[in-house]
Every structure is written in structure tokens, then in C-alpha cells.
Amino acid sequence: MIKPVDFYMPGGRSGVLLIHGLTGTPTEMRFVAKGLNRNGFTVYGMQLAGHCGSEEDLLKTGWHDWYRSVCAAADRLRQDVDHMFVAGLSMGALLALKLAADRPDEVDGLGLFGTTFFYDGWTIPWIGKLSFMLPLVTSLGFGRHRKFHECFPYGIKDERIRQRIAGSMLNGDSAAGGLAGNPWPSLAEFYRLSFLVRRQLHTIQTPCLVVHAKDDDVASLKNVRMVVRGVGGPVETVLLENSYHMITVDQERNQVIERSSRFFNHIANTRFVHMPERAQVVAATE
């Protein structure tokens, strides 16, 4: 049974929607959420459909379901804020990009943390780097019960944090640590999403903050270059020196919080707030 582990932190009239990664959990966004909330933001750490339960729960869903849950979360947060920012980790960054492409008038800025279009980091074995072929493989009926297992260092350079999160994951607590492997059908869905988002990049005019570890063990800097060269809007890039893939929990998480807060506040302080048409008419007659 899937346990709801999403969280909502009320704050000011600028809000941040946080999206975790594939097989992940909102818990991996909680450090950043608390920091953003301390800095005055309303924060919603949403839970992707099919996540935080069993592998079977995940396999019942695909990228359309994950994206629908993002849209529903955005609708909820948008009711409480004047400016909405969307930040995602790994696959969560792709879902954030897609939301900005589809709803440009609703998303004021993006935080793209460890953006992953391809699993091509230094811990990924050669066969794992061929996983972009999984949409074809699974469509032919192969690999339904196969998966790629998570491996050391599990995206985390900080040994204390790694021991805690990896321990939860390996002990089967998916709500706290996520799943210990990526099922092939779910990875195929991820690559279908990746292909679609790459085709939409040029339409995105939303300002982007791209934060990525130089030594990312899961997604190489090639993924950063795809964003920087692909999107149509302004991009600010931050490369971290002492972290691995899970930058929202790793050793430089405070830098992620600080740079994100500064980036989002700058946009909120310089962007016009669109009033509903009826409210504008009332204001004009008073």
C-alpha cells in the first residue's frame, strides 16, 4: 500500500513545487524544502503517482501518470501563491521542464537539480548506458521483470547521509529511501518522457536555474549542456564541487537552498503579478 509522504509548508506569496526523481520520494526534497520555507516561500513537496510503495505499485504507472500528479500538485499550490516556481531532482527536473513548456503562464521560474535526460554518469555500467533503448526492448515484450539495481555510492557523497538514506532504501522503506532498483518498464517510461521533453526544450522561455554536481555519478554534464543549449529562455548554471547526484541531500545542499532562494526571489521581485480580470475591473472602479 502506498503511504502519502508529501508535505506542504505554508509561507509567503511565492511558492515552490518540489518534484522528486524516479523511484524516489518527497523525503529527498525535505532539506531544501525546509530551507526555502525558512526563507519565506510556501513549499509543496509532492509525491509522484505510483511512488513510495512497492515495485508493483510503480509498474502500474507510467510517465503520463507521473505528469498528471505534477499538474494536480501545481493546481493546488497555484491557489495559494502569486508566483509559482517549480524545482525537480533528476527525472523531477524533466517533469518541471514539461510543466513549463505546457503551462508557460503559470510557471515563473525553474530549479533544475541534477537534471537527467540520460543515465550516463561514472557509476553507470556500459549496459546501463544503453538503457535509452528500453522503450524499444519493452515494447517487444522483453524485460518486464528485470531491473537495474542502485549501486554505491547511491548518488550521495556525504557518508553519514548516505548510510541513513541507503539504509532505508536497502531495508525496503521506500517512503523514506525510495526503491532499491529501477524496473526496466519504468526506465522505458522515463526515456519516453526524456525524448518528449527534449523536443519541447526550444519552446521554454521560463528562466532556469541549473544546479548540477561536477562529479555527478548518475548523470554527466552532458545533461547540463542539453538544457543550456536547448531552452529558449535565460539560464543560470551552478556547478557543485563536493557532491554527487542527490544534491538536495548531499554536502552542498545549503548552497542549493541559497542559490535557489536568490534566483526565485529575484524573479518574484521583478515580475508583474497578473490579477484576475474581474479583480482588475473592481480595482479600476474604486
Side-chain angles (χ1 to χ4, degrees), residues 90-217:
S90 194
M91 185 187 75
L94 303 193
L95 291 165
L97 283 163
K98 179 155 181 59
L99 190 69
D102 294 345
R103 301 185 177 188
D105 294 334
E106 296 183 25
V107 181
D108 292 291
L110 293 172
L112 307 176
F113 306 150
T115 307
T116 305
F117 292 101
F118 296 95
Y119 289 95
D120 61 350
W122 53 269
T123 61
I124 306 298
W126 70 267
I127 191 169
K129 293 178 181 179
L130 297 177
S131 59
F132 66 89
M133 298 177 64
L134 283 175
L136 174 61
V137 173
T138 57
S139 68
L140 295 174
F142 300 109
R144 169 71 184 175
H145 302 291
R146 302 195 65 177
K147 61 184 175 182
F148 289 108
H149 291 274
E150 297 284 343
C151 61
F152 186 87
Y154 306 108
I156 305 170
K157 194 169 188 177
D158 186 299
E159 293 184 11
R160 179 179 59 87
I161 297 294
R162 182 200 305 138
Q163 185 175 19
R164 190 178 79 190
I165 295 178
S168 296
M169 177 181 66
L170 296 174
N171 287 328
D173 187 354
S174 62
L179 291 175
N182 288 308
W184 281 21
S186 298
L187 277 172
E189 287 295 304
F190 159 80
Y191 275 109
R192 292 184 181 103
L193 172 66
S194 173
F195 177 73
L196 179 60
V197 173
R198 279 179 279 149
R199 292 180 62 185
Q200 290 184 293
L201 281 179
H202 72 281
T203 70
I204 298 174
Q205 299 296 321
T206 307
C208 298
L209 173 68
V210 179
V211 189
H212 208 96
K214 285 186 177 180
D215 203 21
D216 192 311
D217 57 319

Side-chain angles (χ1 to χ4, degrees), residues 8-9 26 29 33 38 45-46 70 85 91 101 138 143 146 172 189 192 209 269 282:
Y8 196 93
M9 300 178 180
M29 309 302 284
R38 283 195 302 269
M46 59 87 59
V70 170
F85 304 98
M91 185 187 75
T138 57
R146 302 195 65 177
E189 287 295 304
R192 292 184 181 103
L209 173 68
N269 292 332
V282 172

